[in-house]
Amino acid sequence: MDTRWQHTTVLLNEAVDALLAQDPGAPPRAGTFVDATFGRGGHSRLILSRLGPGGRLIAFDKDLEAVAEAARITDARFSIRHAGFREIASLPRGGIAGVLMDLGISSPQIDNPARGFSFRGDGPLDMRMDTTRGETVASWLAHADAAQIAEVIRDYGEERFAVPIAKAIVARRQERGPLATTAELAELVARTVKTREPGQDPATRTFQALRIFINAELEELQEALEASLDILQPQGRLVAISFHSLEDRIVKQFIATHSREVYDRRAPFAAPRALRLKSLGRVKPSAAEVAANARARSAIMRVAERTPA
Ligand SMILES: C[S@@+](CC[C@H](N)C(=O)[O-])C[C@H]1O[C@@H](n2cnc3c(N)ncnc32)[C@H](O)[C@@H]1O
């Protein structure tokens, strides 16, 4: 286990209090909970410390390094699955007391240049969370056409210069062969993006976009949210922490859709379709947390409760 790469958990107490539906110091909780994004286990360890002997925690992570870290937890109430969190759909229907999703990448993933997530430092242009399957960014950029690349960079990076960046990637591929490293991509973007946002590396948006695309992050989030409705028991909690607006929009709309009473226009006097969630609002990190951990700056946690319907 490489201890150079540490992760500081964001909204640690807030998320666990919300998930367990209890204040700190309350008696231990019973029930089966899910940590859909184990990472380095900050949330998982606190959850376990507040579960009673009959409690269970099932964790998921796509990343083998996260799974290796989880193997260090020797608590019979805990288990880890090396899988995308859409696999929560395989858990017993109505059998889960709470699902936590702390989305995106962990600090160990971004800080280790060998994983290819960062424009700082140099490494292979990989960006897969699960290195045992799927296509790397380098491989995809070697065959995708300019229109596909531009669409990804525009839609997932909200990058104004998506078209010139995509054209530059394809031109470079034709002239000198495909991009292989993070530094090559970062330099190409820096040469192509003319105006820079203050305090932001010109490659930030492009790297974010490619990472979201190659890991199918938004599709898997949508699927896992849908699955949570089936597996949560009445009053079970859904807690999701997002780090950028695309993720947060999906979580927000999902909760809003299922918290709204739906009337059938063809049967205006019929009772509205039963709600499946009750929104319990959103929480942002305190100023003290943001001062101590810059990564917390963009975090938004949304909480909802499964209704009996
Ligand atoms: C922000 S970190 C979680 C940190 C964790 N809460 C902690 O305190 O250490 C996100 C983790 O979720 C994993 N992950 C992201 N998307 C995933 C998905 N769709 N399925 C499974 N794991 C995912 C990443 O590999 C990463 O380890």
Side-chain angles (χ1 to χ4, degrees), residues 141 146 149-150 153 161-179 184-185 187-194:
L141 288 177
I149 299 172
I153 298 177
F161 299 99
V163 170
I165 293 169
K167 284 184 176 162
I169 289 170
V170 172
R172 133 96 210 208
R173 187 167 88 193
Q174 284 159 355
E175 285 157 21
R176 288 192 286 141
L179 294 162
E184 287 171 0
L185 177 60
E187 278 163 33
L188 178 146
V189 176
R191 265 186 279 115
T192 313
V193 172
K194 299 289 181 242

Side-chain angles (χ1 to χ4, degrees), residues 9 37-43 61-62 84-85 102 104 109 129 220:
T9 300
T37 49
F38 178 83
R40 285 301 177 272
H43 287 114
D61 208 296
K62 277 183 165 180
F85 55 49
D102 179 16
Q109 288 168 328
M129 290 182 190
E220 185 144 18

Side-chain angles (χ1 to χ4, degrees), residues 7-10 12 35-45 60-64 66 81 83-87 100-109 115 117 129-130 215-217 220-221 224 241 243 295:
H7 182 82
T8 304
T9 300
V10 173
L12 174 61
D35 180 352
T37 49
F38 178 83
R40 285 301 177 272
H43 287 114
S44 275
R45 288 186 176 84
F60 289 76
D61 208 296
K62 277 183 165 180
D63 190 313
L64 278 181
R81 300 188 187 181
F85 55 49
R86 57 159 63 94
E87 299 295 327
L100 169 66
M101 299 176 181
D102 179 16
L103 298 165
I105 44 177
S106 65
S107 303
Q109 288 168 328
R115 301 299 304 271
F117 286 106
M129 290 182 190
D130 185 351
N215 293 292
E217 289 180 33
E220 185 144 18
L221 172 59
I241 305 172
F243 290 88
R295 203 178 159 269

Side-chain angles (χ1 to χ4, degrees), residues 79-293:
S79 60
I80 178 85
R81 300 188 187 181
H82 177 227
F85 55 49
R86 57 159 63 94
E87 299 295 327
I88 65 171
S90 66
L91 297 173
R93 288 175 76 88
I96 303 298
V99 174
L100 169 66
M101 299 176 181
D102 179 16
L103 298 165
I105 44 177
S106 65
S107 303
Q109 288 168 328
I110 192 111
D111 293 344
N112 180 356
R115 301 299 304 271
F117 286 106
S118 176
F119 42 78
R120 298 192 186 92
D122 196 12
L125 195 49
D126 189 328
M127 295 202 211
R128 287 169 304 158
M129 290 182 190
D130 185 351
T131 50
T132 66
R133 71 193 76 200
E135 190 171 20
T136 66
V137 166
S139 159
W140 185 71
L141 288 177
H143 66 76
D145 65 35
Q148 289 172 312
I149 299 172
E151 191 180 316
V152 165
I153 298 177
R154 186 193 59 226
D155 292 355
Y156 296 147
E158 298 175 314
E159 168 62 70
R160 279 190 295 146
F161 299 99
V163 170
I165 293 169
K167 284 184 176 162
I169 289 170
V170 172
R172 133 96 210 208
R173 187 167 88 193
Q174 284 159 355
E175 285 157 21
R176 288 192 286 141
L179 294 162
T181 71
T182 53
E184 287 171 0
L185 177 60
E187 278 163 33
L188 178 146
V189 176
R191 265 186 279 115
T192 313
V193 172
K194 299 289 181 242
T195 56
R196 290 154 202 248
E197 291 158 69
Q200 193 182 73
D201 189 285
T204 305
R205 290 173 176 279
T206 300
F207 273 66
Q208 173 189 298
L210 292 168
R211 186 202 96 203
I212 291 173
F213 170 72
I214 218 70
N215 293 292
E217 289 180 33
L218 303 184
E219 292 84 351
E220 185 144 18
L221 172 59
Q222 189 70 46
E223 282 180 45
L225 289 170
E226 302 284 349
S228 74
L229 290 179
D230 293 330
I231 64 169
L232 279 172
Q233 61 197 38
Q235 288 169 348
R237 294 281 180 93
L238 171 66
V239 179
I241 305 172
S242 28
F243 290 88
H244 56 77
S245 56
L246 298 172
E247 267 168 6
D248 185 53
R249 200 174 304 150
I250 291 174
V251 176
K252 182 175 155 187
Q253 281 177 1
F254 178 79
I255 293 175
T257 301
H258 292 285
S259 309
R260 206 178 289 136
E261 293 202 327
V262 181
Y263 290 86
D264 184 345
R265 274 183 289 161
R266 289 158 306 177
F269 301 109
R273 200 183 78 200
L275 311 176
R276 302 180 81 191
L277 288 175
K278 179 174 152 201
S279 172
L280 299 180
R282 57 164 216 179
V283 175
K284 287 184 162 193
S286 65
E289 180 171 0
V290 174
N293 178 13

